[in-house]
Amino acid sequence: MKKIISLITSILLVLSFSIPVFAREAVNYCELNVSLLNPLTNEQIKYTKSVPIKQKSILVPLSGKNTIEIINEANSVISLGEYIKQSYGKEMKISATQESGYSVNDSDIKIKTGLKWYSKGENIKLTHITGAVENKGLFYAGNKRVSWRNSVSGNGGVFYPTTNSWSKSVTDSYSYYYRSLAPYSILDVTVHVSGMSSTRKLSVRFDIL
C-alpha cells in the first residue's frame, strides 16, 4: 500500500512540474512620460509619473450569457512652467518679462492627457483619447498633434485638435493585453515663449501598464 501511495505522489509531482502555468499580465496603472526637447542643442528634460486607473464594471449580455465588461479611465495633469524655465535657462532672462500683466514666473502651460478603454477578462480596447492644454501668460503650446496605437489589435491613428480640450472617440477592437505592447497615446506640441524666437518640442506619452 505504501508503494502505491508513493507511486501516486511521484506521478503528481511530475505532473505539477510538467504542466505549463500561464500568468495573466494585469493592467495596474498608466504611466505618463514627458519629454521637453531643445531642437537646436538636442538637450532634453524628462519626467515620468504613475497614474491610477478609475474603473466601473457593467454587465453586458453576450450570446445569451452575461459577462462583465469594465469601463476604465485614467488621466493626469502636469504643470510645465518650471520645466520650460529650466529648459531655457539663461535665455529666459533676456526674454520679455511682462506682457498683459504676466511675468515669466506667473507663466505656465498645463497639459492634461488620458485614455478611456473597455476590458473583458484579459482583453482590452481603446474607446477615447482625452486631453487638454491650458496656456497662461508668456507661455503658449501650439501645433497640437495626437497619435494613438494598440499594437496587438493593429489599430491606431493621428488627429490634430483644434480646441484646447478634447475627448476623441476612436475605433478599436478587443485584443489580448501584453505589457510589452501596451496601448498608448502621444501628444506632441510646440512650446513658444512670448518675446523669444526659439521654441521647444514637447512630447507627452501615456501608456496603459
Side-chain angles (χ1 to χ4, degrees), residues 136-204:
K136 181 183 177 183
L138 305 179
F139 299 162
Y140 174 78
N143 303 325
K144 297 183 289 290
R145 178 185 186 273
V146 179
S147 58
W148 66 277
R149 180 76 176 167
N150 182 346
S151 298
V152 180
S153 71
N155 295 311
V158 176
F159 62 95
Y160 300 85
T162 56
T163 60
N164 284 335
S165 65
W166 57 90
S167 180
K168 174 74 172 178
S169 175
V170 298
T171 301
D172 194 15
S173 53
Y174 272 108
S175 60
Y176 194 86
Y177 172 78
Y178 294 97
R179 185 180 295 273
S180 59
L181 297 171
Y184 64 86
S185 70
I186 298 176
L187 167 63
D188 293 312
V189 300
T190 301
V191 176
H192 302 267
V193 179
S194 180
M196 301 183 67
S197 59
S198 60
T199 60
R200 297 292 184 265
K201 297 294 182 183
L202 172 66
S203 182
V204 182

Side-chain angles (χ1 to χ4, degrees), residues 1 21-23 25 37 43 76 99 127 133 142 146 149 157 192:
M1 186 66 177
V21 177
F22 297 97
E25 291 192 85
L37 172 70
E43 291 178 299
S76 180
E99 184 176 292
T127 61
V133 175
V146 179
R149 180 76 176 167
H192 302 267

Side-chain angles (χ1 to χ4, degrees), residues 15-118:
L15 287 174
S16 67
F17 283 107
S18 61
I19 296 173
V21 177
F22 297 97
R24 176 185 174 186
E25 291 192 85
V27 179
N28 298 315
Y29 60 94
C30 283
E31 186 172 86
L32 178 77
N33 284 281
V34 178
S35 170
L36 191 65
L37 172 70
N38 182 339
L40 296 179
T41 64
N42 285 325
E43 291 178 299
Q44 268 186 323
I45 293 175
K46 294 185 177 181
Y47 174 85
T48 300
K49 178 181 179 182
S50 293
V51 181
I53 297 170
K54 297 178 182 178
Q55 293 185 325
K56 178 183 178 183
S57 298
I58 57 175
L59 200 61
V60 181
L62 182 65
S63 302
K65 298 179 181 179
N66 288 331
T67 184
I68 296 295
E69 187 170 57
I70 300 175
I71 301 174
N72 306 271
E73 180 178 359
N75 57 67
S76 180
V77 179
I78 179 172
S79 179
L80 296 167
E82 289 303 316
Y83 297 99
I84 295 170
K85 295 169 201 171
Q86 183 182 341
S87 175
Y88 277 93
K90 293 180 180 180
E91 284 185 75
M92 190 65 72
K93 294 180 180 179
I94 63 171
S95 69
T97 56
Q98 227 170 355
E99 184 176 292
S100 302
Y102 283 100
S103 68
V104 168
N105 290 335
D106 298 325
S107 300
D108 196 6
I109 291 177
K110 287 185 179 179
I111 299 288
K112 179 179 180 180
T113 185
L115 295 168
K116 294 181 181 179
W117 68 96
Y118 284 172

